[in-house]
Amino acid sequence: MSIKDRDMFANINRKPGLQIWTINKMRMTPVPTKAFGNFFEGDCYIILNVSMSIDIHYWIGQSSSQDEQGSAALYVMQLDEYLGGSPVQYREAQGSESPKFRSYFKNGLIYKKGGVASGFNHVDTNVYNIVRLLHVKGRKHVSAAEVEVSWNSFNNGDVFLLDLGKTIIQWNGPECDRREKLKAVLLAQDIRDRERGGRADVVVVEGAREKETPELVQMMADVLGKRPSQLKKAVSDDKHDQEQNNSVRLYHVYDNAGNVVIQEVAIQPLTQDLLSSADCYILDNSGSNVMVWKGKKASKDERQEAMKRALNYIKTKNYPSSTSVEVMSEGGESAMFKHMFKNWREKGQITGLGNTHNVGKIAKVEQVKFDVMELHAHPEMAAKQHLVDDGSGEVKVWRIENLELAEVQPNMHGQFYGGDCYLVLYTYRVSNREQYILYMWQGRHATKDEITACAYQAVAVDNMYNGAPVQVRVVMGKEPRHFLAIFKGKLIIFEGGTGRAGAVSPNTTANLFQVRGTSELNTKAIEVPARASCLNSNDVFLLRTPQKCYLWYGKGCSGDERMTATEMSDRLFRQYKEVVMEGQEPAEFWIALGGKAPYASDKRLERENPLHSPRLFECSNQTGRFRMTEVYSFDQSDLDEEDVMLLDTWEEIFLWVGKFANETETKESWNSARDYLKTHPAGRDPDTTIIFVKQGNEPLTFTGWFNAWDPFKWNVGLPGGHSNPTMVKNILLNKGIDTTDFGGYSAPGGPTSTFPMYRPHGGMMSPKPTTPTSPFKGTYSPAGSSGMSVDAKLLINVPASELPEGVDPSQREDYLSDEDFENLLGVSRPEFLGMPQWRQIDMKKKAGLF
């Protein structure tokens, strides 16, 4: 690797998140964040995703040159080497991207003609002299390709976006389903918000009812010409690949006197002992994808040639050039790779700081003691553990009160209330130099104003330290490892309420806390509903009543966990504590919890080292055959009410059926599960238990695999018993009901915007967005939409309670006339919309609009 290349890699951000580069003149050029999801067909891209693992994808446009493809492959190899060889590498071909790749771009992918080298820009903001046609495909993960601006490009089964700059017309094919339409709406909004600064209208034409929107149909005809009487038939999203072998095969790849030899080792089922650390192997997953495994002791040449040899193998087998390729090193295997083997076990894996639970499942992992002092000596270890030190630095905590900062006294550090927002400033030293981390903790029940003020105050604190702090947004319940470490085993999270002085706590007869952790560096207590059904045999629980506290030890908890929980309870509560062993509870214990009830107590959840991690799949037969798409890092929110989901815990298969799942999918789900077992590469027992679960009736053996399962998630809060605003909007939109009262969504790289006024029978204009926006009800509408403006005197420095009816106090600028807007804020609306949120808040505050 040249010094110039190493210098380029030195600027790579190793924090969690996504980074993208395009290959321009054989060099890596960063892609701006607002352009993420836009890909030129004539280019190649490198995508780095840092999360709990590190993944490198390189994307190949269908019109890219061999030189660009070669450069991308070379940079991926060098980037992998720079990052220590631990990342998993993926080769992505346009139109055949892996589900993991598509999951990074929630609103979909856009394929653009041409390339950067041809002088094109990824995103031209606020440019309106545009005429293009986008062909949108996909239900779960959508993609849109630029096609010829002609009726010849249309078919009856897909959605098309005719982008005319100031107007984006969405044409829905008569045979496309509701989800495809809704996904296309989000993509259209994303284009509007990111490329037009929100200054464009999204309108809808239903292909089956074009007579209802004659003006829009005429607008399309002016650009596309006269519409033919018949359009092309619907084209299935399914790609009928060539006939491929139906087994998984493992090949040994080695060098023999300068010649590369690929020798078959075994066919499914595979065992881990077939892999030797001194060699490299190719695993052929029935021709659908190819995985390369690089042993730690393999020669440097063999490791560097891994991707090239995989591509040569694909050619030899006459597989499609778009066949997915994954390259991984020993110790950094992907979950998919491990699932191809029977009884896969980790070798000396460090799973965290001390003894921890894996996120997303109850089953425990191997317990390993970890020396924190090695972090500074080995930065790569610190990166893997997501820890900068052992949490022994200086801590300052502020709570947001009346939109300002109120310092929290040290004796209250570590106590966080779900109705509040907090700033936590952590100071530590590295090489005699002070470093800072600023955590922004957002309570689940905090108001929007408090969350906004938290972001604004974070900017103020950041400025006090000349921009030195690393800022970390922390959502309640998702606290990172280092955040736990700085509170030394005293982190307790109350579900609701506030920590403000004089606040009256709600009257409760009992509080139940789930305590997790094995040392003061990784422990927290989370308040859960005080019901017996919330207990879990794998954990320690602290039950506080007016009379005394109970420490309940589940049968599956370890001695370290018991000791840590005892120390936490001594720090937090001075009441007498009675230790209760599972199975030996006194009557008063159950009375405090409202009576006995079943809870997660399956002994299989106590296994110290599970053979396989649970995996969740979305099941679909939309294309005419059964297909499964894996959901990564799953939680309860990934259970889609419109789908059948398959949860594979290895010993059991769960089929979860959402309330609005397709009837055919539901009826065929049993056969689908059996087919899954029969065709599984690890040679699964075809008689493995299959459990059919309907939404709202999940057993404990199912919910125990999900972290923080909420039994009331789907039956409170919104019409129809739904707590998912997007789902409610989707259902109502399909019935032609106005959904503008049901919240907003956030487009990646763009401002938060309201959902469009999408009526299948009306073709109505969508409201122009604001940044950020809250849905509102009342007399006035934002001036930027179809409503009237409000006299500026009624908005400036006026208490929220005295604002005109219908005015959103946090978005006063939306109700100004364009003239008043520019006079008060000094910029136009489009310029304002293009600014960072913290800058907008600062300007609004100075103008008396905050």
Side-chain angles (χ1 to χ4, degrees), residues 111-126:
Y111 304 135
K112 294 187 172 185
K113 297 292 185 182
V116 174
S118 305
F120 295 98
N121 294 322
H122 277 94
V123 174
D124 291 315
T125 306
N126 298 330

Side-chain angles (χ1 to χ4, degrees), residues 755-775:
F755 206 83
M757 194 178 296
Y758 178 102
R759 299 176 185 266
H761 299 290
M764 297 291 290
M765 294 286 186
S766 63
K768 298 179 180 68
T770 57
T771 305
T773 212
S774 294

Side-chain angles (χ1 to χ4, degrees), residues 447-565:
T447 66
K448 180 181 176 181
D449 285 345
E450 287 173 330
I451 293 174
T452 302
C454 185
Y456 175 81
Q457 295 295 350
V459 173
V461 173
D462 184 72
N463 290 337
M464 288 170 55
Y465 291 87
N466 298 317
V470 174
Q471 298 185 35
V472 183
R473 177 176 170 267
V474 180
V475 177
M476 177 177 170
K478 303 288 186 180
E479 293 77 16
R481 297 181 191 178
H482 185 258
F483 191 84
L484 305 184
I486 64 179
F487 291 106
K488 299 293 187 296
K490 295 188 292 185
L491 178 60
I492 182 167
I493 299 171
F494 297 89
E495 174 60 29
T498 176
R500 301 179 187 185
V504 179
S505 300
N507 269 332
T508 56
T509 56
N511 300 95
L512 183 64
F513 299 89
Q514 185 176 26
V515 185
R516 284 188 164 180
T518 56
S519 74
E520 66 175 15
L521 298 175
N522 63 7
T523 297
K524 68 176 176 180
I526 305 173
E527 185 175 12
V528 296
R531 295 191 292 265
S533 59
C534 292
L535 297 174
N536 189 304
S537 292
N538 221 26
D539 291 314
V540 179
F541 285 78
L542 177 61
L543 175 62
R544 183 176 67 170
T545 69
Q547 291 75 33
K548 60 182 173 182
C549 289
Y550 295 93
L551 264 175
W552 184 86
Y553 294 152
K555 292 179 180 178
C557 67
S558 67
D560 285 343
E561 289 171 319
R562 296 178 185 182
M563 183 179 298
T564 302

Side-chain angles (χ1 to χ4, degrees), residues 775-813:
F776 60 90
K777 303 174 184 177
T779 307
Y780 287 101
S781 297
S785 181
S786 57
M788 65 188 76
S789 62
V790 179
D791 188 339
K793 294 179 181 178
L794 301 177
L795 300 172
I796 300 172
N797 295 322
V798 175
S801 59
E802 298 178 14
L803 288 171
E805 183 181 358
V807 171
D808 184 346
S810 66
Q811 301 296 323
R812 304 178 192 218
E813 72 279 7

Side-chain angles (χ1 to χ4, degrees), residues 677-693:
L677 287 169
K678 289 177 182 177
T679 59
H680 197 284
R684 301 281 289 279
D685 181 355
D687 294 326
T688 298
T689 301
I690 300 174
I691 302 173
F692 190 82
V693 178

Side-chain angles (χ1 to χ4, degrees), residues 333-340 613 615 630 632:
E333 297 85 359
S334 64
M336 175 69 78
F337 184 83
K338 295 176 186 177
H339 238 239
M340 300 293 172
S613 299
R615 299 172 72 193
E630 184 165 8
Y632 295 88

Side-chain angles (χ1 to χ4, degrees), residues 616-632:
L616 183 69
F617 299 86
E618 176 198 22
C619 305
S620 172
N621 69 340
Q622 292 292 318
T623 60
R625 65 173 181 172
F626 175 69
R627 304 190 77 174
M628 297 199 308
T629 304
E630 184 165 8
V631 179
Y632 295 88

Side-chain angles (χ1 to χ4, degrees), residues 21 64 84 123 151 175 183 194 204 235 264 323 336 361 376 433 451 470 491 573-574 604 634 694 729 765 773 821 843:
W21 298 265
S64 61
V123 174
W151 284 112
E175 297 177 34
K183 286 288 186 179
R194 289 204 284 175
V204 180
V235 179
E264 184 173 318
T323 300
M336 175 69 78
K361 56 182 180 291
H376 294 307
R433 180 182 175 187
I451 293 174
V470 174
L491 178 60
F573 306 118
R574 299 183 182 276
R604 283 169 291 186
F634 66 84
K694 290 186 178 180
K729 284 183 279 192
M765 294 286 186
T773 212
F821 189 100
M843 294 175 67

